[in-house]
């Protein structure tokens, strides 16, 4: 675990779109910070720059005190969950979650211990022998999160992870995510366009508009605009 610092970051796309302007956000160690704002304000671009999926045009991004600007995604100790995620349909839930550990050649006993621990936290420990198609949408989303986080990355990024779920499930999962984050204490940057989601989940909320950071405060201090 470590803090994530976005300092004076700019993004200008090849076509000249200035998507992120002088963005500075620090996510404290163990904090869940929600980045919220209307469609097109630059949230996803910001997240993708932290993940290393998009080059930054200026500024610095650090994890702890290490500047990561020039690291490839695979060299960053960061996990990411998107709104569309794919589980391996032919693998059991256990094997889906264990997959990143296998890739990282984590020894079997340790792998087993980690998969069991994370499965308990996300409430999937009863379902490890099933296949993805035997689970509900919300359960599958939790598998995707468990798989992303099982390697215990320094930071966890989520981009609208609940947007494909129905309203009822979204509310349930919201509570689940807050719990998961508290339990694991992993530094998390969470992107959504949903103000209610932002206010419910965030230790602090960063509001973006047209590429700029408009506000950064605990939810109770966020000034809402129509
Ligand atoms: P959000 O996640 O808040 O909806 P995005 O980060 O996706 O916003 O987009 C911010 C701005 O950058 C938008 O104007 C969008 O059209 C533009 N944009 C996103 N990706 C690209 C790209 N690959 N090339 C050019 N412009 C882009
Ligand atoms: P490998 O392919 O390296 O043999 P497996 O994925 O078959 O590894 O199993 C590794 C370990 O994971 C097993 O020893 C077992 O403890 C555990 N395991 C595998 N599948 C399940 C499951 N469905 N439920 C609970 N534990 C499982």
């Amino acid at each position: 675990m470590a803090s994530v610092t976005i300092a004076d970051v700019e993004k200008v796309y090849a076509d000249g779109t200035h998507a992120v302007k002088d963005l500075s956000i620090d996510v404290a160690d163990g904090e869940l910070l929600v980045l919220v704002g209307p469609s097109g304000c630059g949230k996803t671009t910001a997240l993708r720059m932290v993940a290393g999926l998009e080059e930054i045009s200026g500024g610095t991004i650090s994890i702890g005190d290490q500047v990561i600007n020039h690291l490839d995604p695979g060299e960053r100790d960061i996990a990411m969950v998107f709104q569309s995620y794919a589980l391996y349909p032919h693998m059991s839930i256990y094997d889906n979650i264990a997959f990143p550990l296998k890739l990282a050649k984590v020894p079997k006993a340790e792998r087993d211990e980690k998969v069991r621990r994370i499965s308990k936290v996300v409430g999937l420990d009863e379902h490890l022998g099933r296949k993805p198609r035997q689970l509900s949408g919300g359960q599958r989303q939790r598998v995707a999160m468990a798989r992303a986080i099982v390697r215990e990355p320094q930071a966890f990024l989520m981009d609208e992870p609940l947007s494909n779920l129905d309203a009822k499930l979204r509310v349930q999962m919201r509570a689940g995510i807050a719990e998961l984050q508290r339990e694991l204490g992993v530094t998390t940057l969470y992107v959504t366009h949903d103000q209610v989601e932002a206010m419910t989940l965030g230790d602090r909320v960063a509001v973006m508009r047209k590429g700029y950071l408009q506000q950064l405060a605990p939810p109770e201090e966020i000034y809402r605009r129509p």
Side-chain angles (χ1 to χ4, degrees):
M1 262 196 308
S3 57
V4 173
T5 309
I6 299 170
D8 312 316
V9 165
E10 303 278 342
K11 178 64 185 186
V12 182
Y13 282 108
D15 68 357
T17 305
H18 200 164
V20 171
K21 299 163 185 164
D22 195 24
L23 183 67
S24 295
I25 295 173
D26 63 300
V27 192
D29 201 347
E31 182 180 34
L32 197 173
L33 191 138
V34 179
L35 192 52
V36 68
S39 179
C41 73
K43 307 179 295 294
T44 297
T45 301
L47 203 68
R48 287 173 58 83
M49 289 191 286
V50 176
L53 300 171
E54 204 67 69
E55 257 182 57
I56 73 174
S57 312
T60 52
I61 298 177
S62 320
I63 294 193
D65 47 22
Q66 187 195 12
V67 174
I68 59 169
N69 287 16
H70 302 295
L71 296 184
D72 288 335
E75 296 168 332
R76 301 180 184 206
D77 191 8
I78 295 177
M80 186 154 177
V81 169
F82 304 87
Q83 60 182 266
S84 54
Y85 54 89
L87 301 178
Y88 305 108
H90 59 286
M91 289 187 196
S92 69
I93 300 310
Y94 181 97
D95 286 337
N96 265 280
I97 297 173
F99 194 69
L101 300 175
K102 270 193 166 173
L103 282 186
K105 304 211 187 317
V106 172
K108 200 158 181 158
E110 191 184 334
R111 212 156 72 201
D112 202 50
E113 195 261 314
K114 286 189 169 168
V115 172
R116 282 171 203 290
R117 172 160 178 264
I118 193 84
S119 308
K120 235 181 222 121
V121 174
V122 299
L124 289 168
D125 48 325
E126 309 272 292
H127 304 297
L128 290 174
R130 298 196 178 180
K131 294 281 169 62
R133 72 182 131 76
Q134 297 171 296
L135 300 186
S136 70
Q139 288 172 327
R140 285 201 291 263
Q141 178 60 276
R142 279 183 276 154
V143 176
M145 286 182 195
R147 185 181 59 185
I149 216 168
V150 73
R151 279 191 311 132
E152 296 167 28
Q154 288 187 301
F156 190 32
L157 309 178
M158 287 191 264
D159 190 2
E160 307 258 6
L162 307 185
S163 61
N164 285 343
L165 305 176
D166 67 47
K168 190 171 158 222
L169 197 51
R170 213 155 47 225
V171 171
Q172 269 178 30
M173 287 289 296
R174 220 183 262 157
I177 286 175
E179 218 170 284
L180 172 68
Q181 203 276 338
R182 232 175 292 124
E183 178 106 6
L184 296 173
V186 60
T187 309
T188 304
L189 186 55
Y190 185 107
V191 161
T192 181
H193 66 274
D194 183 334
Q195 288 200 9
V196 176
E197 201 165 295
M199 300 298 174
T200 321
L201 270 178
D203 293 322
R204 286 187 302 156
V205 176
V207 183
M208 277 185 85
R209 194 158 293 238
K210 297 180 178 168
Y212 290 104
L213 180 66
Q214 194 177 50
Q215 304 180 65
L216 176 54
E220 61 275 14
E221 291 170 23
I222 290 287
Y223 164 57
R224 294 207 202 189
R225 294 182 192 192

